[in-house]
């Protein structure tokens, strides 16, 4: 019986030694890139998409060297209603970007009630406490870079 126990102890020792040795040969685990802490920019656009909203989308995707999570929300046909834009606000964007003139009145209504949400309107509209207005896609890129730490 003691021979069996001694054999089992030796076998366990060999398995542990092999496991420890093989683990040391692997090196450090690969780095993981977490995007959870990135700045989140959400573009609301029409189903047709305007040339301006397309340019803004490209600017958002390239913004701030990868420190921005860009999302696009395609509104139903026609200007989005207040409930739709409230839904976008509810997903937790750092900034909601609107690049189509028909959406500006809705942004102004929603922004008046959603004081903690930032809005960026491209090409026109009225600036308010939580609403900023920029001229074009290049200005969006600069704004995002400045707010996303880029």
């Amino acid at each position: 019986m003691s021979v069996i126990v001694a054999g089992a102890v030796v076998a366990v020792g060999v398995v542990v030694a092999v496991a420890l040795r093989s683990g040391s040969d692997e090196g450090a685990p690969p780095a993981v890139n977490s995007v959870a802490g990135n700045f989140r920019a959400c573009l609301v656009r029409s189903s047709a998409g305007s040339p301006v909203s397309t340019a803004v989308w490209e600017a958002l995707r390239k913004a701030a060297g990868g420190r921005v999570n860009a999302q696009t929300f395609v509104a139903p046909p026609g200007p989005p209603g207040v409930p739709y834009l409230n839904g976008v606000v509810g997903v937790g964007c750092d900034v909601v970007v609107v690049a189509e003139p028909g959406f500006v009145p809705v942004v102004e209504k929603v922004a008046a009630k959603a004081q903690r949400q930032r809005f960026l309107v491209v090409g026109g509209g009225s600036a308010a406490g939580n609403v900023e207005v920029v001229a074009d896609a290049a200005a969006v890129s600069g704004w995002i870079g400045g707010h996303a730490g880029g």
Side-chain angles (χ1 to χ4, degrees), residues 35-45 53-73 88 91-97 140-141 144 148:
V35 297
N38 284 359
F39 187 86
R40 191 168 178 198
C42 301
L43 173 65
V44 179
R45 61 190 295 177
S53 68
T54 301
V56 168
W57 175 242
E58 288 304 314
L60 289 175
R61 289 183 50 230
K62 295 175 184 174
R67 291 181 301 275
V68 174
N69 296 344
Q71 289 182 267
T72 185
F73 292 86
V88 174
V91 301
C93 305
D94 290 303
V95 65
V96 174
V97 182
V140 170
S141 183
I144 294 294

Side-chain angles (χ1 to χ4, degrees), residues 13-66:
V14 169
V15 169
V16 169
V18 169
L20 290 174
R21 184 166 188 245
S22 67
S24 65
D25 291 338
E26 292 178 16
V32 176
N33 182 16
S34 173
V35 297
N38 284 359
F39 187 86
R40 191 168 178 198
C42 301
L43 173 65
V44 179
R45 61 190 295 177
S46 68
S47 57
S50 70
V52 173
S53 68
T54 301
V56 168
W57 175 242
E58 288 304 314
L60 289 175
R61 289 183 50 230
K62 295 175 184 174

